[in-house]
Amino acid sequence: MNAMLVLLVSIAVLVAGYFLYGGWLAKQWGVDPSRPTPAHSMEDGVDYVPAKPYVVLGHHFSSIAGAGPINGPIQAAIFGWVPVLLWVLIGGIFFGAMHDFGALFASIRHKGQTIATVIRDNIDGSAKKLFCIFAYLTLILVVAAFASIVANTFADPDGTNIANARTATISVLFILVAIVYGLLTRGRNLPGWLNILSAIAILVVIVAIGYNFPILGGISGQIWMLVIGVYIFAASIAPVWILLQPRDYLSSYLLYGMILLAVIGIIGAGISGNVGSIADMPAFNGFNVDASVKGDSKVAATGFLFPALFITIACGAISGFHSLVASGTTSKQIDKESHAQPIAYGGMLLECLVAVISLCAVGFVFAGYMDGSYASPTQVFAGGIAAMLGTVLPGIGGDSGSLAYSLLILAVSAFCLTSLDTATRLGRYMFQELLSEGEEERTDGKQSKVLVNTYVATAITVVLGVALGMTGYTIIWPLFGAANQLLAVLALLAVAAWLANAGKNNKMFYIPMVFMLAATLSSLVITIIQKSQAIMAGGDIMAPAIQLTLAVILIVLAVVLVFKGCKTLFGKKQEA
C-alpha cells in the first residue's frame, strides 16, 4: 500500500467525519452560538479570558497532543498497518472527537468547571471526590513524565549534543517572546491575517536564531528538571493571556508546520516512484504479537491485539487526558459555543492526522524499526519523515543531521512542553476541587483554606511531579495507558449523565463507553495476572508489587464510578 494513498484517503475520511458526524452531534446537543460562554459571564482576567477561535485551537491542539499521537501508532504498528489505521479513523471520529467535544461542551454549560464538577452535579459528590483523586494522581504522573522527557530533550551535559542545545534554545526563546507577544497584543483587536502572519514571522525568526546560535548547551538533565519546575509553577499561575495563550498560539504554527512538512514528504515520496510505500509493514500481524514477532525493536508493543492496541493508541484515537484539557483550560477561553466543534472535535481530528502521519513514517523506515536502529518513537517519526523529505527536498530532508530532522524533534518537544504546563494548571484545578467545599468552587486563590490557595496548590503539584520525575516515575508509567483510558470512560460517563438529566440524546455514548471500559478492565486484569506471576517467581518484587496494587485500585475505582453512573443513566433523572 502506498503511504500517499493512505494519507489522502485518511484526510478525506476525517473531513467527512467532521462535517457529517461532528455537525450532527452539535445539533443533537443544542449548541447555541448566541448563549454567553463562561469566558464572558465569569471573565476574571486570569483563567476566564475569551480568545479568538484560532488562538484557543492553538492552545487546545498543542496541549492535547503531547507525544501521544506519535508514540502510540508507532508502538502499535507491529500489529500491522490495517488495525492501526482503522482504530485511528473509527476511534477518532466516533470515540475520541466526540469525547473531546462532549467534555468541552458539558464544561461550558457548567460555568467552565472541570469534568469533576459535571460528575458532582449529575451523579453525586462522592463520585466527584473519587474522580478528583484519580485525575490528580494521573496528572502528577503526566507532569513527572513530560518534565523528564523535556529535560532529556534539552540536556547537553558535556556540551557535545548540539541538537539538544538547539531545541533548548529555541524553546526558551519561545517562552520569552510569547510573554512579550502577550503583553503587546493584550486588548488590541488585530486583524486575523495580521495575527497569523506576525506569528509565522516570529516563529521563523526564533527557529533561525536558536538553530544557528544554540547558546544553552552544557546543561545537565537534573538542572533542566529544576528549571522546568520553576517554569511550570510560574506558567500555571500566570494569567492565561500573558503566556499560555500566546505561547501555545505561537507553538501551534510549529506543529502545523510539522504536519505540512510531513504531508509534503509523504506525497512527494509517493509521486517520485517506488518510495513512500508501507508495503514492508505487514497489513496484519495476527492477534498476538510476542517477542519473536517484535524482533529487536526497542519501541514496539507486544501482547494481544485486544486490549493492547486500544490502550497503546490513546492520543490519536481517544484519550482521557483530553477531557481534562477541554474542561480545565479550553472551556474558560471559548468565545462562542459554536467554536466548540472546530476546537474540540476538529482539534482531535488534527491529532488523528498526526497519528496517520506517524504510521506512514514508521512504514517508510520499517526495516530499521524492526532491527532496533531507533531508540524511541520520536526518532522513528523524525527519521521516517526526514527520509521521505530527502527524496524530494534533499537540501532539507535526509538523515538525522538534516534540518527537517531537527525541526521535527523540536516540534515533538514543543508538544510535550505545552502539555506539561497545561497539565500542571489542570493539576492545580483538581487539587482545589478535591479540597474545596460548597457550590462555588473557585480557582482564583480566594479560598479560605490554605491548601486550596492557588500558589500552595500549584507548589504542591509541581514538587510532587518534579520529584517523581527525578526519582522513578518509570515504575508506574506502564499503567498510565490503562489509567488514561479509564479517564476517558469516566468522562464519557459524565457527559452522558449530564445529557440524560438535560433530556438530550446521549445514546451515541453507550458503545464507546462499554468498549473502552472492556478494553481498560481487560488490560488491568492482564496486568494483575502478569505481576502476580512475577511476584511469585521471586527476585526484585517492588515494581511488580506497586503495579499490581495500583491495577487493583484502578479496577475498584472503575467499578464504583461506573455503578454510580449507571444509576444516573438508567434510574430517575435529576432536574437538568
Side-chain angles (χ1 to χ4, degrees):
M1 174 64 75
N2 188 281
M4 178 181 68
L5 182 59
V6 168
L7 177 67
L8 294 178
V9 170
S10 298
I11 291 174
V13 170
L14 293 173
V15 170
Y18 174 82
F19 287 105
L20 297 178
Y21 194 61
W24 179 77
L25 291 175
K27 292 179 181 178
Q28 291 293 304
W29 298 342
V31 173
D32 183 1
S34 65
R35 182 169 177 153
T37 62
H40 291 284
S41 62
M42 301 182 67
E43 184 173 2
D44 61 5
V46 179
D47 295 317
Y48 290 86
V49 179
K52 295 183 183 298
Y54 54 83
V55 175
V56 184
L57 176 62
H59 156 69
H60 186 76
F61 179 52
S62 299
S63 297
I64 65 172
I70 293 170
N71 290 358
I74 288 174
Q75 291 172 324
I78 193 68
F79 289 106
W81 65 267
V82 170
V84 171
L85 184 64
L86 289 177
W87 173 231
V88 167
L89 296 180
I90 296 173
I93 292 171
F94 297 104
F95 287 51
M98 181 186 70
H99 162 275
D100 294 16
F101 188 11
L104 176 58
F105 187 52
S107 177
I108 290 173
R109 290 295 178 91
H110 286 78
K111 300 181 180 180
Q113 294 294 318
T114 67
I115 285 294
T117 297
V118 178
I119 290 175
R120 181 200 67 191
D121 291 351
N122 296 278
I123 300 179
D124 63 34
S126 61
K128 175 214 168 180
K129 295 294 184 184
L130 289 174
F131 180 85
C132 282
I133 294 171
F134 170 57
Y136 184 71
L137 294 177
T138 303
L139 286 167
I140 291 296
L141 183 56
V142 170
V143 171
F146 280 25
S148 179
I149 291 170
V150 173
N152 289 333
T153 306
F154 291 175
D156 177 29
D158 55 7
T160 59
N161 193 331
I162 190 171
N164 282 18
R166 284 170 173 165
T167 301
T169 303
I170 294 171
S171 298
V172 171
L173 282 174
F174 258 119
I175 294 169
L176 298 176
V177 172
I179 294 173
V180 176
Y181 188 80
L183 291 170
L184 291 178
T185 57
R186 174 66 169 166
R188 291 178 172 83
N189 190 20
L190 298 178
W193 64 268
L194 180 59
N195 226 335
I196 294 171
L197 288 180
S198 62
I200 295 174
I202 290 170
L203 171 66
V204 171
V205 171
I206 290 174
V207 171
I209 292 174
Y211 187 85
N212 290 289
F213 303 98
I215 60 174
L216 293 180
I219 303 175
S220 70
Q222 294 291 320
I223 297 298
W224 274 120
M225 282 291 285
L226 297 176
V227 171
I228 289 169
V230 173
Y231 162 70
I232 59 178
F233 175 83
S236 60
I237 62 175
V240 294
W241 60 266
I242 198 172
L243 179 58
L244 183 140
Q245 283 181 351
R247 198 283 315 281
D248 289 359
Y249 174 62
L250 293 175
S251 296
S252 69
Y253 286 98
L254 179 63
L255 310 181
Y256 302 148
M258 178 193 78
I259 294 175
L260 180 61
L261 277 177
V263 170
I264 292 173
I266 294 169
I267 294 177
I271 292 175
S272 64
N274 73 12
V275 289
S277 172
I278 57 176
D280 291 338
M281 185 193 308
F284 180 57
N285 228 348
F287 289 98
N288 184 24
V289 173
D290 57 21
S292 62
V293 176
K294 179 180 176 180
D296 296 323
S297 176
K298 306 180 186 71
V299 297
T302 56
F304 293 100
L305 179 72
F306 184 90
L309 176 73
F310 308 99
I311 301 298
T312 302
I313 303 178
C315 294
I318 179 172
S319 169
F321 177 67
H322 295 191
S323 67
L324 301 182
V325 175
S327 66
T329 53
T330 306
S331 62
K332 296 175 176 63
Q333 303 173 61
I334 292 285
D335 185 42
K336 295 181 180 179
E337 281 193 357
S338 56
H339 297 164
Q341 182 187 347
I343 290 169
Y345 199 93
M348 178 61 206
L349 296 189
L350 269 178
E351 193 173 81
C352 294
L353 177 59
V354 175
V356 172
I357 289 171
S358 301
L359 180 63
C360 295
V362 68
F364 195 79
V365 294
F366 195 71
Y369 172 74
M370 290 299 293
D371 67 19
S373 298
Y374 296 96
S376 70
T378 300
Q379 292 180 1
V380 175
F381 177 80
I385 299 302
M388 290 186 193
L389 276 168
T391 65
V392 289
L393 298 172
I396 297 177
D399 58 19
S400 60
S402 67
L403 174 61
Y405 185 90
S406 298
L407 290 176
L408 290 164
I409 294 291
L410 171 65
V412 176
S413 175
F415 271 128
C416 292
L417 190 59
T418 51
S419 297
L420 174 60
D421 60 44
T422 298
T424 307
R425 188 179 289 259
L426 295 174
R428 185 245 294 180
Y429 291 161
M430 281 297 161
F431 190 83
Q432 289 175 308
E433 288 207 48
L434 176 63
L435 299 181
S436 295
E437 296 179 357
E439 292 299 309
E440 297 299 324
E441 297 176 307
R442 303 182 61 86
T443 56
D444 57 6
K446 297 179 181 178
Q447 300 89 342
S448 58
K449 290 185 176 181
V450 174
L451 288 178
V452 292
N453 174 273
T454 295
Y455 303 100
V456 176
T458 303
I460 292 172
T461 303
V462 171
V463 170
L464 290 176
V466 172
L468 182 61
M470 297 177 72
T471 57
Y473 76 94
T474 53
I475 293 177
I476 55 178
W477 184 252
L479 283 173
F480 174 74
N484 183 53
Q485 297 304 62
L486 179 54
L487 266 179
V489 173
L490 300 179
L492 290 169
L493 181 64
V495 179
W498 165 61
L499 290 172
N501 288 330
K504 297 181 182 296
N505 183 9
N506 69 350
K507 301 297 188 296
M508 68 285 292
F509 284 87
Y510 290 179
I511 292 177
M513 274 194 301
V514 172
F515 183 87
M516 293 311 302
L517 181 62
T520 301
L521 293 182
S522 298
S523 176
L524 290 171
V525 168
I526 291 172
T527 298
I528 290 173
I529 294 172
Q530 291 176 341
K531 301 311 171 186
S532 297
Q533 293 172 342
I535 291 172
M536 289 186 289
D540 186 1
I541 65 170
M542 185 181 74
I546 292 174
Q547 293 173 22
L548 172 63
T549 303
L550 292 176
V552 172
I553 292 173
L554 289 177
I555 287 181
V556 172
L557 173 70
V559 171
V560 171
L561 289 176
V562 169
F563 175 75
K564 286 178 172 290
C566 288
K567 286 178 63 178
T568 299
L569 288 176
F570 304 111
K572 183 179 179 180
K573 302 295 184 289
Q574 299 180 27
E575 182 179 351

